[in-house]
């Protein structure tokens, strides 16, 4: 076993690796950027080395600096985590050339699976089923259109390099193909430096089921499957293991196929074989096809660990240090069911825009496994993925595990940034998902319903008003003035309410024309004769009410004049980011909904559109500009002038 390793990553995965290293008595070296000087993974590690600026290219993608840090600190091996350099074969070569061990697969194996088209050809040779499609080198648009016709619509255009849903477009008709192809190629070029795509048959009721594999460079085993079908824009939201309604015979055939795939490339370490599965008529032995292999540890690996009792990071360290596979296939079995929900700092009503902010309050339930890289007081940076935590639960049955996840999310408290927690709670309560009737289109089909279910609860808002007035302590809700109820207007950023204190522990809150009776009784809050399990928390960012759909109110700053521009005439940057493109110029007429610009932030592209009809008065930013949140990008003429 190694004595010391360097972790070439950040956030929750770096913390996760450190946890296992502590258990094994292995010392750890963290690396960090300017933005992560005070990060949790830095505080947890035995040593830490500064890499450079906050942009990944100046820090976590600097392979040479990472290798030098490992040598300078006496680390024997480098664990890449996931993302950044984890699937970069040139980095693996450089690590080994420096006399260090890369805790992961060989550069040859990574290269074999790095391009989707070549990987599919290799899998066909290994007897692994692949989706019908075109995976060749001819990238002529006319030729690709012909291939799409031959495959039959709908088809899926996919970038041959990279992942995460970038460079991927569904096309339902030939008339849409040219525009979708250009869009996919452009995004692929931006994200991966490679515009090449492949064309595949689109499965109408697809499920995304992946198999965890682990190899020692010769032999491999599988640790069963995970269902990752609950996705939005090809990004996983909630994962579970095992897959619901998975027949034993299909599990065996799929697991055997995944093992053959790993052994075909002499795979070493943890990896995942991703399959697209036809869920239209139940899970069948002939109804799954290879999509791609992730040659690294997956974000969702905790659900596999919980159902198998295996520490995959421990296995990584043991095999990388020269040990054989820690278990045979017949030694592995499934116990119960597990779920993982990805908690992000993102604004769901605003289209799931990534958010930033300082975590003024952060508290997780004790009855769930929490994987996180942040602590109270930490800042969600615009430079990296805005994940706050992974909330993971396990139970003897799927139903029990899912209800445990719902409870854990309800008991998760985050303030200082908007999050998707209420959206996640709504998903756990979705009838179809509860029944296990899920495919990759579920969120898209029911998005409006799910967002509506996540909207703030007026009764929780009434409790937030109590907190904002400084009356969260029930003993403070008394007080009379001249024998009349104490009345005051409570204002916050975005609204106001009338508060009338009627006596000890009792008040009336009039909010949006509706009056709510609030009282403290039996050590619990009641609103309109309804017992509430809410908790009112006052923090540096204002007041939050937890224990259901979270409500947060920020005290009104009289000096804050943001958002007062009339008529939606000013387009502001919703977050810090890079202006990738501007589509308008001064004097140009636009209609509501027209594309104005594209902003790249937190590894995603966001299209900014016109809020109303009008004429562009000024373009205040250009492609290539780095802008801060709230920066003015485009101004329309006043509505009178534009008429």
């Amino acid at each position: 076993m190694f004595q010391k390793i360097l972790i070439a990553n950040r956030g929750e995965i770096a913390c996760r690796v450190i946890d296992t290293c502590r258990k094994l008595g292995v010392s750890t070296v963290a690396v960090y950027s300017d933005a992560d000087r005070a990060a949790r993974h830095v505080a947890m590690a035995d040593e830490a080395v500064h890499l450079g600026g906050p942009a990944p290219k100046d820090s976590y993608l600097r392979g040479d600096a990472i290798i030098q840090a490992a040598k300078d600190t006496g680390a024997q091996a480098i664990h890449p985590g996931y993302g950044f350099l984890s699937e970069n074969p040139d980095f693996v070569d450089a690590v080994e050339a420096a006399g260090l061990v890369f805790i992961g697969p060989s550069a040859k194996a990574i290269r074999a699976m790095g391009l989707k088209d070549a990987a599919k050809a290799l899998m066909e040779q290994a007897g692994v089923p692949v989706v019908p499609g075109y995976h060749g080198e001819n990238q002529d648009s006319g030729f690709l259109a012909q291939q799409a016709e031959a495959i039959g619509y709908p088809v899926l255009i996919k970038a041959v390099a990279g992942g995460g849903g970038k460079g991927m477009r569904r096309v339902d008709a030939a008339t849409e193909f040219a525009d979708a192809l250009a869009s996919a190629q452009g995004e692929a070029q931006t994200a991966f430096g490679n515009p090449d795509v492949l064309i595949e048959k689109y499965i109408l009721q697809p499920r995304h089921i992946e198999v965890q594999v682990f190899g020692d460079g010769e032999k491999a085993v599988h640790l069963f499957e995970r269902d990752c079908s609950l996705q939005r824009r090809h990004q996983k939201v909630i994962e579970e293991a095992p897959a619901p309604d998975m027949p034993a015979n299909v599990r065996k055939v799929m697991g055997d196929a995944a093992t053959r795939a790993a052994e075909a490339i002499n795979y070493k370490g943890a990896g995942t074989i991703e399959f697209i599965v036809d869920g239209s008529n139940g899970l069948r032995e002939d109804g799954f096809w290879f999509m791609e292999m992730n040659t690294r540890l997956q974000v969702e690996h905790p659900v596999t660990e919980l159902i198998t009792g295996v520490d995959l990071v421990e296995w990584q360290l043991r095999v990388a240090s020269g040990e054989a596979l820690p278990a045979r296939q017949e030694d592995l079995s499934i116990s119960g069911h597990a779920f993982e929900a990805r908690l992000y700092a993102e604004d769901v009503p605003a289209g799931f825009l990534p958010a930033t902010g300082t975590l003024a309050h952060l508290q997780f339930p004790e009855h769930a496994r929490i994987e996180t890289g942040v602590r109270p007081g930490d800042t969600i940076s615009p430079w990296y993925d805005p994940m706050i935590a992974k909330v993971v639960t396990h139970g003897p049955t799927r139903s029990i595990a899912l209800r445990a996840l719902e409870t854990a999310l309800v008991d998760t408290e985050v303030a200082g940034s908007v999050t998707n927690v209420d959206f996640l709670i709504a998903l756990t309560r979705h009838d179809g998902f509860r029944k296990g009737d899920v495919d990759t289109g579920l969120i898209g089909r029911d998005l409006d319903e799910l967002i509506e279910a996540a909207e703030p609860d007026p009764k929780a808002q009434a409790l937030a008003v109590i907190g904002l007035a400084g009356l969260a302590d029930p003993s403070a809700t008394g007080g009379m003035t001249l024998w009349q109820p104490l009345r005051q207007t409570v204002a916050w950023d975005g609204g106001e309410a009338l508060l009338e204190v009627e006596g000890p522990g009792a008040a009336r809150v009039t909010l949006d024309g509706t009056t709510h009776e609030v009282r403290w009784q039996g050590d619990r809050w009641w609103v309109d004769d309804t017992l509430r399990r809410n908790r009112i928390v006052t923090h540096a960012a204002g007041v939050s009410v937890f224990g259901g759909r979270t409500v947060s109110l920020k005290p009104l700053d009289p000096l804050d004049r943001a958002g007062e521009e009339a008529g939606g005439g000013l387009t502001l940057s919703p977050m810090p980011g890079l202006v990738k493109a501007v589509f308008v110029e001064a004097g140009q007429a636009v209609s509501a909904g027209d594309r104005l610009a594209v902003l790249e932030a937190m590894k995603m592209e966001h299209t900014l559109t016109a809020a109303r009809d009008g004429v562009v008065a000024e373009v205040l930013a250009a492609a290539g500009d780095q802008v801060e949140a709230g920066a003015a990008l485009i101004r329309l003429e006043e509505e009178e002038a534009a008429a």
Side-chain angles (χ1 to χ4, degrees):
M1 179 56 66
F2 305 113
Q3 294 180 332
K4 181 188 289 187
I5 72 166
L6 180 143
I7 303 165
N9 217 295
R10 64 176 301 279
E12 49 88 19
I13 183 56
C15 297
R16 163 72 188 87
V17 174
I18 292 171
D19 282 337
T20 289
C21 286
R22 284 178 172 173
K23 181 178 72 174
L24 299 177
V26 177
S27 297
T28 54
V29 180
V31 290
Y32 64 93
S33 69
D34 288 347
D36 281 339
R37 285 186 181 276
R40 182 171 183 257
H41 77 280
V42 175
M44 288 179 63
D46 297 297
E47 301 173 63
V49 178
H50 177 245
L51 292 176
K57 67 180 179 61
D58 297 325
S59 50
Y60 298 107
L61 293 177
R62 292 185 59 200
D64 56 344
I66 290 170
I67 292 170
Q68 189 61 50
K71 295 172 67 175
D72 291 345
T73 56
Q76 301 157 293
I78 294 178
H79 193 299
Y82 41 70
F84 296 129
L85 295 169
S86 63
E87 294 180 280
N88 185 318
D90 294 337
F91 178 64
V92 178
D93 285 336
V95 168
E96 294 176 347
L100 302 169
V101 175
F102 180 78
I103 303 175
S106 66
K108 182 179 179 181
I110 294 175
R111 288 190 176 98
M113 290 298 186
L115 295 178
K116 294 183 179 68
D117 49 356
K120 288 177 186 295
L122 183 60
M123 290 300 98
E124 283 186 295
Q125 296 173 13
V128 180
V130 299
V131 179
Y134 174 73
H135 311 129
E137 296 181 0
N138 189 336
Q139 295 292 304
D140 176 75
S141 59
F143 177 80
L144 292 177
Q146 292 175 359
Q147 296 302 308
E149 287 280 3
I151 295 167
Y153 289 97
V155 299
L156 192 65
I157 302 172
K158 296 173 66 175
V160 300
K166 295 182 176 65
M168 186 181 296
R169 300 291 186 274
R170 171 181 170 174
V171 188
D172 293 313
T175 54
E176 304 169 6
F177 185 82
D179 287 345
L181 175 64
S183 178
Q185 289 175 327
E187 189 169 72
Q189 177 65 45
T190 298
F192 315 120
N194 183 349
D196 290 356
V197 299
L198 55 84
I199 313 295
E200 289 182 344
K201 178 67 178 175
Y202 185 83
I203 311 301
L204 287 175
Q205 293 186 22
R207 287 176 65 177
H208 180 143
I209 298 178
E210 59 190 32
V211 177
Q212 176 71 59
V213 294
F214 204 100
D216 63 5
E218 295 182 4
K219 296 295 184 181
V221 296
H222 70 82
L223 291 92
F224 312 104
E225 79 281 355
R226 299 183 288 257
D227 195 314
C228 305
S229 301
L230 209 58
Q231 302 179 6
R232 181 183 174 275
R233 294 182 180 175
H234 308 293
Q235 297 288 332
K236 299 168 186 176
V237 180
I238 294 179
E239 302 101 338
E240 62 180 298
D245 302 322
M246 171 65 78
N249 62 312
V250 179
R251 173 173 290 127
K252 184 180 187 309
V253 171
M254 192 177 292
D256 289 346
T259 303
R260 287 198 304 274
E263 291 180 347
I265 58 172
N266 301 117
Y267 194 78
K268 184 176 183 179
T272 298
I273 308 297
E274 298 196 353
F275 293 107
I276 187 74
V277 180
D278 181 359
S280 61
N281 191 28
L283 300 181
R284 311 180 310 277
E285 291 185 21
D286 62 351
F288 69 92
W289 301 274
F290 173 85
M291 280 200 304
E292 62 183 341
M293 182 178 189
N294 290 302
T295 52
R296 53 172 167 77
L297 195 66
Q298 288 278 94
V299 176
E300 58 271 23
H301 75 274
V303 293
T304 294
E305 293 185 326
L306 289 178
I307 67 165
T308 61
V310 169
D311 183 333
L312 287 169
V313 175
E314 177 183 334
W315 276 29
Q316 286 185 299
L317 294 172
R318 290 172 62 183
V319 169
S321 65
E323 293 186 28
L325 276 173
R328 300 169 299 174
Q329 190 65 58
E330 55 266 32
D331 299 326
L332 299 167
S333 61
I334 295 173
S335 175
H337 208 97
F339 284 92
E340 173 184 292
R342 302 188 185 194
L343 178 65
Y344 281 102
E346 61 183 10
D347 190 339
V348 172
F352 295 83
L353 283 176
T356 57
T358 298
L359 298 173
H361 175 80
L362 182 65
Q363 182 171 305
F364 296 110
E366 295 181 356
H367 53 83
R369 171 172 167 173
I370 303 298
E371 305 270 325
T372 184
V374 295
R375 302 155 297 180
D378 285 352
T379 297
I380 304 298
S381 167
W383 296 102
Y384 314 114
D385 187 280
M387 179 183 285
I388 295 173
K390 300 181 303 193
V391 180
V392 195
T393 58
H394 179 259
T397 67
R398 184 179 189 273
S399 176
I400 292 173
L402 183 55
R403 290 195 177 276
L405 179 64
E406 176 189 356
T407 301
L409 291 167
V410 168
D411 291 342
T412 294
E413 302 180 357
V414 185
S417 174
V418 294
T419 76
N420 67 336
V421 67
D422 293 334
F423 179 73
L424 295 174
I425 294 170
L427 281 170
T428 66
R429 296 170 176 170
H430 184 280
D431 287 341
F433 186 50
R434 281 185 179 270
K435 296 174 183 175
D437 183 14
V438 60
D439 60 69
T440 57
L442 183 150
I443 290 179
R445 288 192 303 271
D446 297 339
L447 184 60
D448 291 342
E449 172 190 335
L450 290 164
I451 292 176
E452 181 180 358
E455 289 181 352
D457 177 0
K459 295 185 180 183
Q461 286 183 308
L463 290 174
V465 171
I466 294 291
L468 201 61
L471 304 177
D473 177 1
S475 64
T477 55
M480 303 286 284
T481 301
L482 297 177
W483 306 100
Q484 297 296 321
L486 180 63
R487 297 165 58 95
Q488 61 173 298
T489 298
V490 180
W492 61 91
D493 187 6
E496 65 179 32
L498 176 65
L499 172 66
E500 302 172 273
V501 178
E502 299 185 313
R508 291 159 54 92
V509 177
T510 302
L511 181 69
D512 295 330
T514 301
T515 299
H516 301 279
E517 301 284 346
V518 180
R519 72 180 188 279
W520 176 263
Q521 180 178 323
D523 295 330
R524 300 291 291 272
W525 286 107
W526 293 73
V527 182
D528 300 333
D529 292 324
T530 302
L531 176 65
R532 308 290 298 187
R533 68 186 304 267
N534 300 106
R535 202 164 78 91
I536 304 173
V537 177
T538 302
H539 45 72
V543 170
S544 295
V545 174
F546 301 111
R549 284 173 283 173
T550 304
V551 172
S552 293
L553 301 183
K554 177 184 177 182
L556 186 64
D557 182 352
L559 299 179
D560 185 3
R561 304 190 59 81
E564 290 188 1
E565 288 79 9
L570 198 60
T571 299
L572 306 178
S573 174
M575 70 201 80
L578 176 71
V579 178
K580 291 298 297 293
V582 176
F583 303 111
V584 295
E585 58 186 21
Q588 181 176 336
V590 296
S591 300
D594 283 355
R595 290 194 309 166
L596 301 179
V598 172
L599 185 74
E600 182 181 74
M602 294 181 174
K603 304 194 298 185
M604 297 178 64
E605 290 188 354
H606 309 277
T607 299
L608 306 180
T609 60
R612 60 169 171 83
D613 298 349
V615 174
V616 176
E618 289 181 282
V619 176
L620 303 168
D625 289 352
Q626 188 75 40
V627 296
E628 296 299 322
L633 304 180
I634 293 161
R635 183 175 67 83
L636 301 184
E637 293 180 0
E638 296 295 332
E639 291 190 89
E640 294 80 9

